[in-house]
Amino acid sequence: MESAAAEIARRLGREAEAVCRHYLSNGRKQGRYWIVGDVENTPGRSLYVRLVGSAYGPGAAGKWTDAATGEHGDLLDLIAANQNLRSLRETLDEARRFLASPRSDPPPRRRPAPTGSPEAARRLFAMGRPIAGTVAETYLRGRGITNARNNSALRFHPRCYYRGEDQAPDMPEGLPALLAAVTDLEGNITGVHRTWLDPAQPEKAPVDRPRKAMGRLLGHGVRFGKPRDVLTAGEGLETMLSIRMALPHMPAVAALSANHLQALILPSSVKRLYIAEDADDAGRAAAEALAVRARTEGLDALRLAPSGGDFNEDLQAYDAAALAELLAVQLAPEDAARFILSNGRQKASTHAAMAVSGKTS
C-alpha cells in the first residue's frame, strides 16, 4: 500500500511546473526542467527540477538536483527546504494546502517544434546566452581561441539536452554546451551546432559524440564577419575561429564537415575565396572540390594549408602571430596587406612563415 508521503509526492510530481512556479518563482522553465539558484528560490541556474517524467524512479517528474551542492530529492524535500519545515507532518500539511489551493493557468505554451528542424534550432539558440565568463569561453581559451567572448554566432547553454547510447545511467540528460548558429546568406538561422563540454575541465564532454548539428545545414554555415569581396571557408568551427585569431577581420565561414564544405553556397559579392583545408584525405578532397566549383563560378580560389593537422593545431602549437605568418605567404599580396598588416601585426616575412610551415625557399 502506498504511503501518504509517496502518494502526495506523486501528486506533486503531476503538477511539478505549478509547484515550481509557486515555491521557486525566481526560476524559469527551460525545456523539460525548471532552473533556479537553490531551494531557497535564489535567482540562478544551479538547481534544476524535472518537469516531465515517469511517476516513480530516478527519472520521475519532480526529481531535483542542485549541481552546486549535490543535494537532491523529490518535491516534498524541496517544499520542506524551501519553507524551512522541520518535520514530515509539517511538510505534508504544507503540500496538502498547496494541492487544495486554486491555481492560475500556466502561460500558453508554444507548440513543440519538430525534432531537429530549423525552428527547433532557432529556439535552442535563443535559449543560450553569451559565452563570456562561461565554460564555453574557458574551453575555447584552452584551444588557444581568446577573442570569441563577444561573437554573436556563439552562445552557451548550461544544460543542453544530450542522450546517447554510451551515456551512463547516472549522467544528467543536460550537459553544458557551446552553441554555434548555422545561417544562410541572409543571416537566417537554419541550424545549430552543439559541442557538449565537461563542466569540470576545459575539454569536450566524455561522451561518444560530443559534437552534433541539427537543422538545415546543406549549403549553409557558421559565419564570422560579413564578406564583401573576400571570404575564407573551411570545415571545423575551431579551425575557422583559429584563423580569425590570426586574421580577425577576415570574413570566414565554417561548413562543419567535408561534405558540407563542398556544397557551401557562396555569396555573389565574393571575388576571391580562400579554402582552409584539413590535412587529411577527406579535407583535401573537399577543398579541391570547392575550389573547382568556385573557379567555374568565376572566383579566384586559393587553398590554405596548415602546418599540422588543421589550423587549430597550428594555433596551439605556436601562437596567433606565428599563424598569421604562416597564412601571409599563402594569401594574395593585397590580402596580406589588407588583413595582416592593417591589423597592427608585425610584417610577416616569407622566411619566418616558411620556417613555421616547415617549407624552404
Side-chain angles (χ1 to χ4, degrees), residues 1 8 10 12 17 23 43 47 65 71 76 80 87 97 101 105 107 116 125 149 156-157 246 252 268 271 279 285:
M1 183 176 177
I8 289 178
R10 181 173 54 81
L12 290 169
E17 184 174 342
Y23 293 100
L47 186 144
T65 299
E71 295 176 285
L76 277 176
S87 70
R97 278 193 292 270
S101 65
D105 293 333
F125 193 72
R149 61 166 26 208
F156 172 69
H157 194 303
S268 59
K271 306 303 179 188

Side-chain angles (χ1 to χ4, degrees), residues 227-348:
R228 290 180 293 175
D229 55 332
V230 177
L231 174 68
T232 299
E235 291 183 43
L237 178 66
E238 291 159 25
T239 291
M240 303 317 293
L241 287 171
S242 298
I243 288 178
R244 292 273 290 183
M245 280 289 297
L247 311 175
H249 301 298
M250 170 72 81
V253 57
L256 303 178
S257 75
N259 288 337
H260 287 101
L261 180 62
Q262 297 181 56
L264 187 68
I265 299 172
L266 302 172
S268 59
S269 63
V270 169
K271 306 303 179 188
R272 182 177 295 113
L273 176 69
Y274 291 103
I275 305 168
E277 64 181 40
D278 286 0
D280 55 32
D281 291 343
R284 295 187 186 96
E288 178 61 20
L290 179 58
V292 170
R293 178 164 64 84
R295 290 171 188 138
T296 63
E297 296 177 13
L299 279 68
D300 182 16
L302 302 173
R303 291 162 60 178
L304 304 176
S307 175
D310 59 43
F311 286 105
N312 186 245
E313 283 189 18
D314 289 354
L315 178 63
Q316 293 183 78
Y318 307 108
D319 57 25
L323 181 56
E325 292 187 349
L326 169 63
L327 290 165
V329 294
Q330 302 185 64
L331 300 179
E334 58 268 40
D335 291 333
R338 176 179 172 185
F339 293 109
I340 296 180
L341 304 186
S342 64
N343 291 332
R345 298 184 182 276
Q346 73 279 14
K347 292 187 177 182

Side-chain angles (χ1 to χ4, degrees), residues 33-54:
Y33 295 90
W34 189 268
I35 308 295
V36 73
D38 54 36
V39 292
E40 296 179 352
N41 198 26
T42 304
R45 307 180 67 86
S46 294
L47 186 144
Y48 55 97
V49 184
R50 180 185 287 274
L51 301 179
V52 180
S54 59

Side-chain angles (χ1 to χ4, degrees), residues 15-30 34 41 51 98 103-109:
E15 301 193 44
E17 184 174 342
V19 174
C20 292
R21 291 188 183 279
H22 182 78
Y23 293 100
L24 304 176
S25 57
N26 287 324
R28 66 185 181 94
K29 185 178 180 181
Q30 187 169 298
W34 189 268
N41 198 26
L51 301 179
F98 170 81
R103 283 177 287 285
S104 58
D105 293 333
R109 296 179 61 188

Side-chain angles (χ1 to χ4, degrees), residues 63-345:
K63 293 291 186 180
W64 59 271
T65 299
D66 189 327
T69 66
E71 295 176 285
H72 58 90
D74 60 19
L75 291 176
L76 277 176
D77 300 316
L78 188 146
I79 289 172
N82 179 269
Q83 299 294 299
N84 196 26
L85 302 174
R86 301 187 180 279
S87 70
L88 177 60
R89 181 173 181 174
E90 290 178 309
T91 303
L92 292 176
D93 287 344
E94 172 63 23
R96 289 188 182 103
R97 278 193 292 270
F98 170 81
L99 290 168
S101 65
R103 283 177 287 285
S104 58
D105 293 333
R109 296 179 61 188
R110 290 186 298 177
R111 295 181 64 183
T115 301
S117 66
E119 178 58 25
R122 284 189 284 270
R123 292 185 188 184
L124 176 60
F125 193 72
M127 291 168 63
R129 66 174 189 257
I131 70 168
T134 69
V135 175
E137 183 181 31
T138 303
Y139 166 75
L140 290 176
R141 285 183 175 275
R143 309 285 293 183
I145 300 164
T146 61
N147 63 350
R149 61 166 26 208
N150 297 316
N151 197 310
S152 61
L154 305 177
R155 287 190 181 177
F156 172 69
H157 194 303
R159 197 166 295 280
C160 186
Y161 177 77
Y162 179 89
R163 175 56 64 183
E165 294 180 359
D166 63 309
Q167 189 163 342
D170 59 345
M171 182 181 291
E173 290 184 344
L175 295 168
L178 170 66
L179 307 179
V182 178
T183 60
D184 61 19
L185 293 180
E186 286 70 46
N188 302 307
I189 294 177
T190 65
V192 68
H193 182 267
R194 297 153 293 176
T195 304
W196 281 277
L197 305 172
D198 189 325
Q201 54 188 340
E203 300 287 345
K204 292 187 285 293
V207 293
D208 186 50
R209 293 184 60 197
R211 301 182 194 269
K212 295 182 185 178
M214 61 186 289
R216 192 170 67 249
L217 310 176
L218 194 64
H220 311 309
V222 182
R223 302 177 191 277
F224 308 108
K226 188 173 180 62
R228 290 180 293 175
D229 55 332
V230 177
L231 174 68
T232 299
E235 291 183 43
L237 178 66
E238 291 159 25
T239 291
M240 303 317 293
L241 287 171
S242 298
I243 288 178
R244 292 273 290 183
M245 280 289 297
L247 311 175
H249 301 298
M250 170 72 81
V253 57
L256 303 178
S257 75
N259 288 337
H260 287 101
L261 180 62
Q262 297 181 56
L264 187 68
I265 299 172
L266 302 172
S268 59
S269 63
V270 169
K271 306 303 179 188
R272 182 177 295 113
L273 176 69
Y274 291 103
I275 305 168
E277 64 181 40
D278 286 0
D280 55 32
D281 291 343
R284 295 187 186 96
E288 178 61 20
L290 179 58
V292 170
R293 178 164 64 84
R295 290 171 188 138
T296 63
E297 296 177 13
L299 279 68
D300 182 16
L302 302 173
R303 291 162 60 178
L304 304 176
S307 175
D310 59 43
F311 286 105
N312 186 245
E313 283 189 18
D314 289 354
L315 178 63
Q316 293 183 78
Y318 307 108
D319 57 25
L323 181 56
E325 292 187 349
L326 169 63
L327 290 165
V329 294
Q330 302 185 64
L331 300 179
E334 58 268 40
D335 291 333
R338 176 179 172 185
F339 293 109
I340 296 180
L341 304 186
S342 64
N343 291 332
R345 298 184 182 276

